[in-house]
C-alpha cells in the first residue's frame, strides 16, 4: 500500500502553528514532506543536520521521532502507530538541529485527528 503524502512549507522562525492537517484516528500510512523557508526564502539543510518530529497529543502524551532529510531540502516524517491513536488536536513541531547539535528552528503545525465513522470495536 502506498502512503498518503502531505506536502507543505513551514517558516523556520514563525512561532505560531502554520498548517493544520486533518487525519483519521488510526491512520498510519501517511508521510509528511516538509519544506522549510527562512523569511519566505527556501532554506537549504546542510549535510550533518538532523530533524526530529515532536508532538503533544490531546491525551497529553508526547511523541519524539526521528525524521529523514531528503535532498537537503525536505524533511520527511512517516506516521507511526502512535501518531494518530488519540482523537483531537496534536500540537507538532519539527526540530531542526545543526551539525553541532544547536537548534536551528522548530516550526510548528497541528494535526487534527478525527474520529472514525465506525468505532474499532464495532463489527462491519
Amino acid at each position: 500500500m502506498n502512503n498518503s503524502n502531505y506536502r507543505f512549507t513551514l517558516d523556520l522562525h514563525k512561532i505560531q502553528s502554520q498548517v493544520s492537517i486533518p487525519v483519521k484516528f488510526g491512520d498510519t500510512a501517511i508521510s509528511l514532506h516538509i519544506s522549510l523557508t527562512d523569511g519566505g526564502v527556501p532554506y537549504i539543510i546542510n549535510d550533518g543536520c538532523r530533524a526530529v518530529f515532536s508532538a503533544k497529543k490531546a491525551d497529553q502524551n508526547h511523541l519524539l521521532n526521528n525524521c529523514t532529510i531528503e535532498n537537503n531540502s525536505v524533511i520527511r516524517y512517516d506516521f507511526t502507530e502512535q501518531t494518530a491513536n488519540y482523537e483531537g488536536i496534536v500540537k507538532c513541531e519539527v526540530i531542526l538541529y545543526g551539525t553541532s547539535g544547536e537548534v536551528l528552528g522548530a516550526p510548528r503545525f497541528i494535526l487534527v485527528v478525527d474520529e472514525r465513522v465506525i468505532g474499532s470495536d464495532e463489527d462491519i
Side-chain angles (χ1 to χ4, degrees):
M1 182 171 145
N2 293 328
N3 279 8
S4 294
N5 295 301
Y6 288 89
R7 299 177 194 284
F8 55 97
T9 301
L10 300 174
D11 192 286
L12 271 174
H13 302 294
K14 288 189 178 177
I15 297 172
Q16 72 279 11
S17 291
Q18 301 173 53
V19 176
S20 174
I21 300 169
V23 297
K24 289 284 187 170
F25 176 89
D27 280 351
T28 55
I30 293 179
S31 292
L32 305 179
H33 299 264
I34 306 162
S35 298
L36 299 175
T37 62
D38 184 358
V41 176
Y43 185 82
I44 304 302
I45 303 170
N46 292 328
D47 289 334
C49 290
R50 68 183 184 95
V52 174
F53 172 84
S54 173
K56 182 177 180 183
K57 300 188 299 184
D59 64 357
Q60 303 305 307
N61 283 320
H62 293 86
L63 289 174
L64 199 61
N65 293 313
N66 288 320
C67 299
T68 303
I69 298 174
E70 300 175 340
N71 301 320
N72 295 91
S73 63
V74 176
I75 297 171
R76 178 180 172 159
Y77 172 69
D78 296 319
F79 272 35
T80 67
E81 289 184 13
Q82 299 300 312
T83 306
N85 71 344
Y86 197 86
E87 295 172 11
I89 302 295
V90 181
K91 297 177 183 178
C92 308
E93 61 186 7
V94 175
I95 307 167
L96 182 63
Y97 293 94
T99 56
S100 300
E102 72 277 19
V103 175
L104 301 174
R108 296 179 179 185
F109 61 98
I110 61 172
L111 298 174
V112 181
V113 181
D114 198 9
E115 66 184 338
R116 294 181 183 167
V117 174
I118 297 175
S120 60
D121 57 346
E122 297 180 37
D123 292 329
I124 296 178

